[in-house]
Amino acid sequence: KSGLDPGGAWHAWGMACLKAGNLTSAREKFNRCLKPPMDLNQLNHGSRLVQDVIQYLESTVKPVLIADDDYFATLRELEATLRTRSLSLEMMCEGKIQHNSYYQECLFYLHSYGTNLAIISFYMRHDCMREALLHLLNKESPSEVFIEGIFIPSYESGKLHMLENLLETIDPGLESWGVYLIAACKYLQRKNFYHILYELQQFMKDHVRAAMTCIRFFTHGAKSYTELGGKQTWLLKIKDHLKVYLQEVSRSSGRKKMAFTFRKKMSATDVSRHINTVDLQMEVTKFLHQCESSGTSQMTDSSLPTLFGNNNMKMDVACKVILEGKNIEEGFGIAFRVLQDFQLEATEVYSKVAKQLVKQQKYSEIRQLLKCVNESGVAAKNDGDNIILNCLNEFKNIPAEDLDNLIQDMDSDENKIQAYMVCNKLRSAYLVSVRQEKARAVQLVQHVRQLAESSGDDVVKAICAQWL
């Protein structure tokens, strides 16, 4: 009469019927007020009203019994309690829970009015993981439902192995679980749960991604090569994963299509290249670990470069190896292989090393570096000269004698003249200029005279004018 929504009344009536143990009548009353969700895959447990019904059915609350005689009431209560025994206790006898009328009643309401997540969570609460997984597959629920309803509860309660066993039992090839497993990996990565991620990747036989996780274990948080020296087992694990992957690829290449669709793929060439990188990183790690232990280590960078970074980081590794040995020669061989294997800009690395040596005032070491570069067999004609020219920005700090020695070491007269001009040694620039072929000598001496004029060096200006 008053036009109010009767839903609340039907719900209260339904709950009263439930409490009285009249399940059929309760269904009829709830049918008038409960509605199925619009989207079965929404990430919640359905309406509050449905949750209340399930919560009541799952609880160990005894049905309310109206009886005049206390003695009979107690007996009836005992009987009802036995009938509605806690569902979790019921589960202890495997399989018996399915025959519990209250369990069946929960499923009726969940399937009629609940979301997929609510159904799956119900199965998980009562240790029916297999049923939860089969429901997920049958309904083709999205991966978020798997993460929220099955995966998180599994690892939080230490049942990840049980989950893995069931996934394998239901589908030994794991193909039908591919989307869900990849989503689980992404979730773990976002959460920084790398140990669980690594375990899952091994279960998935996703060897390429497992190798990538091992790289993170090796590099993450290390502040020195001494620390990396203690983490070398991860490098061996990376190699093992990549080798197993190569074997699997060669085994399946005979078949028409490769079975592992959700596992990360990589060409055999790339895998071999990565194995080579790992071998080289092992060598670098041993060498720099040794340098740090013997105290020859000089550089203290905030970041620790490894060969698993980008090209700039790889160049930093090459520099570090050359600079941290007892002398330049000791680390040059390893650094040279790094430059060759990754086709890095060698001159840039050598120039960086030379500048570092100027800062450390190791001028004789620069000459040793040039000797190593020239003897490497792949240096271009002017490489040595360019290394010295790149150092000359720091010439104010280099003692005159060492500076002269470095410029004398240059191959090309043109480069020597340029170096003398950069360092404002105009008299030396003039002396080398006049030795050149006549036409070129005239150009060079004119240039020296201009520089002398602008810097106010009257003596050199006069000599140049006289020669011209």
Side-chain angles (χ1 to χ4, degrees):
K1 282 179 182 178
S2 57
L4 294 172
D5 176 25
W10 286 116
H11 186 260
W13 197 351
M15 289 302 285
C17 292
L18 271 190
K19 288 171 184 174
N22 191 344
L23 303 182
T24 317
S25 184
R27 282 190 187 192
E28 186 196 319
K29 306 296 178 284
F30 285 129
N31 188 36
R32 294 172 183 270
C33 63
L34 298 179
K35 291 182 180 65
M38 298 289 284
D39 174 17
L40 288 173
N41 286 321
Q42 60 197 39
L43 285 182
N44 59 41
H45 290 254
S47 74
R48 185 67 253 174
L49 298 180
V50 179
Q51 289 180 53
D52 287 346
V53 173
I54 302 302
Q55 207 173 336
Y56 174 77
L57 286 169
E58 278 186 300
S59 71
T60 52
V61 176
K62 293 169 266 183
V64 175
L65 295 159
I66 301 151
D68 298 327
D69 190 324
D70 281 350
Y71 179 74
F72 284 110
T74 313
L75 278 176
R76 284 198 203 96
E77 279 184 350
L78 179 60
E79 191 186 329
T81 307
L82 288 171
R83 186 157 49 93
T84 63
R85 253 197 0 244
S86 160
L87 295 179
S88 51
L89 282 176
E90 195 68 71
M91 191 51 215
M92 299 309 281
C93 316
E94 210 172 302
K96 282 188 184 172
I97 183 166
Q98 277 84 347
H99 307 306
N100 179 309
S101 56
Y102 278 71
Y103 174 90
Q104 294 304 332
E105 209 59 21
C106 283
L107 286 181
F108 166 77
Y109 286 107
L110 286 167
H111 282 289
S112 306
Y113 313 109
T115 60
N116 284 327
L117 180 60
I119 297 167
I120 284 167
S121 299
F122 173 79
Y123 281 133
M124 291 296 286
R125 275 199 303 281
H126 300 295
D127 291 332
C128 299
M129 195 186 281
R130 184 188 172 82
E131 284 75 7
L133 287 167
L134 291 173
H135 182 84
L136 180 88
L137 267 192
N138 294 338
K139 300 294 177 188
E140 295 180 354
S141 291
S143 46
E144 292 82 4
V145 175
F146 171 72
I147 302 288
E148 203 69 34
I150 299 175
F151 187 70
I152 295 175
S154 294
Y155 79 71
E156 281 183 348
S157 59
K159 290 180 182 168
L160 195 56
H161 282 301
M162 187 198 286
L163 173 63
E164 290 171 352
N165 291 338
L166 277 170
L167 293 175
E168 216 163 19
T169 309
I170 295 168
D171 177 5
L174 299 179
E175 280 308 310
S176 43
W177 305 116
V179 180
Y180 300 118
L181 288 168
I182 294 296
C185 289
K186 286 179 181 169
Y187 167 81
L188 292 170
Q189 205 165 352
R190 277 199 310 276
K191 290 281 188 182
N192 288 331
F193 294 164
Y194 283 95
H195 288 279
I196 304 175
L197 173 65
Y198 181 52
E199 189 187 321
L200 191 63
Q201 286 167 336
Q202 288 180 94
F203 161 72
M204 291 158 67
K205 297 184 173 60
D206 194 347
H207 293 292
V208 175
R209 286 194 181 96
M212 289 156 83
T213 306
C214 290
I215 290 175
R216 192 197 180 273
F217 282 134
F218 174 71
T219 54
H220 185 68
K223 295 280 187 289
S224 70
Y225 261 88
T226 307
E227 277 181 52
L228 287 184
K231 291 172 140 192
Q232 286 189 79
T233 47
W234 289 114
L235 293 176
L236 295 171
K237 283 183 180 178
I238 298 168
K239 271 181 78 171
D240 289 343
H241 284 301
L242 294 176
K243 281 176 180 173
V244 171
Y245 177 77
L246 272 184
Q247 286 166 5
E248 285 181 359
V249 170
S250 60
R251 243 186 270 134
S252 59
S253 58
R255 300 173 208 154
K256 286 194 176 170
K257 75 177 183 66
M258 199 165 166
F260 320 121
T261 49
F262 65 89
R263 297 172 180 93
K264 191 168 176 65
K265 293 183 180 60
M266 195 179 271
S267 71
T269 323
D270 281 349
V271 174
S272 302
R273 204 161 39 79
H274 286 307
I275 290 175
N276 189 40
T277 302
V278 174
D279 285 335
L280 204 47
Q281 180 62 53
M282 284 176 107
E283 218 169 315
V284 166
T285 307
K286 279 175 191 160
F287 178 75
L288 290 175
H289 180 197
Q290 207 176 330
C291 294
E292 284 181 4
S293 306
S294 61
T296 56
S297 175
Q298 297 274 337
M299 294 171 77
T300 49
D301 285 341
S302 50
S303 66
L304 195 64
T306 69
L307 298 178
F308 299 118
N310 57 20
N311 278 358
N312 285 340
M313 195 186 259
K314 288 174 181 132
M315 287 161 90
D316 288 345
V317 171
C319 291
K320 198 170 172 65
V321 169
I322 295 175
L323 286 165
E324 294 211 357
K326 287 198 286 287
N327 51 46
I328 293 297
E329 222 168 328
E330 193 185 22
F332 188 84
I334 298 174
F336 183 71
R337 275 176 46 215
V338 170
L339 298 174
Q340 290 290 293
D341 281 10
F342 300 106
Q343 297 177 337
L344 301 172
E345 195 54 61
T347 317
E348 199 182 318
V349 171
Y350 299 144
S351 299
K352 225 173 167 181
V353 170
K355 282 178 183 173
Q356 199 66 35
L357 290 170
V358 169
K359 276 185 191 166
Q360 295 172 8
Q361 300 181 347
K362 295 181 174 176
Y363 307 110
S364 60
E365 300 270 287
I366 297 175
R367 298 178 81 176
Q368 196 183 4
L369 172 68
L370 296 172
K371 180 172 169 279
C372 290
V373 171
N374 291 329
E375 286 173 359
S376 68
V378 292
K381 188 169 183 287
N382 279 335
D383 273 1
D385 290 6
N386 288 334
I387 293 165
I388 294 172
L389 283 171
N390 282 328
C391 278
L392 294 180
N393 303 330
E394 316 279 336
F395 78 91
K396 294 181 188 67
N397 307 324
I398 305 175
E401 192 184 335
D402 291 304
L403 190 58
D404 275 337
N405 287 339
L406 283 174
I407 297 174
Q408 289 297 325
D409 280 348
M410 288 176 139
D411 292 327
S412 138
D413 279 352
E414 290 273 345
N415 286 334
K416 281 181 185 173
I417 295 162
Q418 193 188 335
Y420 282 131
M421 286 177 180
V422 168
C423 301
N424 221 17
K425 290 178 169 284
L426 299 180
R427 186 184 176 84
S428 301
Y430 162 80
L431 289 171
V432 182
S433 297
V434 295
R435 293 206 304 266
Q436 307 310 303
E437 180 261 322
K438 202 62 169 275
R440 181 66 185 136
V442 171
Q443 287 176 338
L444 289 165
V445 173
Q446 281 173 337
H447 190 192
V448 172
R449 185 177 66 172
Q450 283 169 1
L451 287 172
E453 201 170 339
S454 58
S455 67
D457 190 336
D458 294 336
V459 179
V460 174
K461 181 184 162 188
I463 297 171
C464 290
Q466 191 182 347
W467 185 86
L468 288 166

